[in-house]
Amino acid sequence: GKVLLNDSEGMTRIINQLLDIAELDSLVIEPREEADLRTVCMEVVEFLAPLALALGKEVALVGTSDSVRVRGNAEMLYRAIRNLGENAIRHTSPGSTVEFVVNGNGAVSVLDDGPGISDEERDFIFQRFWRRDRGMPDSTGLGLPIVQRIAELHAATVTFTNRDPRGACFTIKFTLFGT
């Protein structure tokens, strides 16, 4: 019974992410649409806090406390940042904190304390269905492609760096509204 339940939850997740991708393939962002990046990040952190705590980890919102008005669709921003956050929580080490850093220039960075990403893997992380660890539950290999697609739709950039001594940092840089 238990295994089947987990499987159906996994299937639901994959189907939802496929629907996300299909929807994103046809989505158009209105040029006059704006979102408050800090508010979106706050909502993501509130959403992910229980998940993090259940895994013995924490989430924190840092950076500017001012609102950061960027061009874009708030729901899409939420999805992209949530996907980065879910990945970070999954990979960060127990007892550590995943940080969401909001910058007044329209960028948000998600920092974890996990193993980081090797040079060989870098080329693949944004490909649909690629997964480092196929045995990892919850991983559909669709999280980062969704992030990438949402960024493309917003003319935003996604960059990745490894942190020293360990961990990963993903940054999405959006365009400030009115620029």
Side-chain angles (χ1 to χ4, degrees), residues 77-159:
L77 266 62
Y78 178 90
R79 282 195 211 176
I81 296 161
R82 192 186 83 193
N83 271 312
L84 286 182
E86 285 173 346
N87 271 357
I89 289 169
R90 210 177 286 134
H91 292 293
T92 205
S93 46
S96 67
T97 301
V98 170
E99 290 190 353
F100 294 75
V101 186
V102 184
N103 192 310
N105 69 359
V108 54
S109 298
V110 180
L111 283 60
D112 69 50
D113 188 30
I117 294 175
S118 70
D119 289 343
E120 301 82 70
E121 290 172 318
R122 272 174 192 247
D123 295 337
F124 298 108
I125 55 174
F126 290 111
Q127 287 180 12
R128 293 180 187 184
F129 302 115
W130 183 83
R131 290 187 294 189
R132 159 187 302 173
D133 176 3
R134 299 210 161 264
M136 189 178 267
D138 287 349
S139 173
T140 58
L142 286 169
L144 288 173
I146 288 173
V147 172
Q148 178 79 18
R149 181 71 186 123
I150 290 172
E152 283 169 6
L153 286 166
H154 287 81
T157 54
V158 183
T159 51

Side-chain angles (χ1 to χ4, degrees), residues 4-135:
L4 192 60
L5 180 66
N6 284 346
D7 260 352
S8 69
E9 281 173 13
M11 285 306 295
T12 303
R13 187 179 157 82
I14 290 172
I15 289 164
N16 284 337
Q17 289 194 309
L18 281 171
L19 289 171
D20 274 1
I21 286 220
E23 182 189 347
L24 291 173
D25 281 344
S26 60
L27 187 79
V28 178
I29 304 295
E30 294 296 324
R32 287 182 300 284
E33 247 181 309
E34 69 166 294
D36 179 353
L37 186 61
R38 189 173 187 283
T39 300
V40 170
C41 289
M42 192 165 64
E43 288 169 359
V44 170
V45 166
E46 284 171 3
F47 174 82
L48 290 177
L51 170 69
L53 289 172
L55 297 171
K57 305 165 185 184
E58 290 184 29
V59 284
L61 180 62
V62 292
T64 182
S65 52
D66 299 330
S67 65
V68 181
R69 292 167 62 223
V70 295
R71 277 195 226 179
N73 174 298
E75 189 197 343
M76 291 297 147
L77 266 62
Y78 178 90
R79 282 195 211 176
I81 296 161
R82 192 186 83 193
N83 271 312
L84 286 182
E86 285 173 346
N87 271 357
I89 289 169
R90 210 177 286 134
H91 292 293
T92 205
S93 46
S96 67
T97 301
V98 170
E99 290 190 353
F100 294 75
V101 186
V102 184
N103 192 310
N105 69 359
V108 54
S109 298
V110 180
L111 283 60
D112 69 50
D113 188 30
I117 294 175
S118 70
D119 289 343
E120 301 82 70
E121 290 172 318
R122 272 174 192 247
D123 295 337
F124 298 108
I125 55 174
F126 290 111
Q127 287 180 12
R128 293 180 187 184
F129 302 115
W130 183 83
R131 290 187 294 189
R132 159 187 302 173
D133 176 3
R134 299 210 161 264

Side-chain angles (χ1 to χ4, degrees), residues 153-167:
L153 286 166
H154 287 81
T157 54
V158 183
T159 51
F160 165 79
T161 51
N162 279 314
R163 301 172 67 201
D164 188 30
R166 58 180 278 121

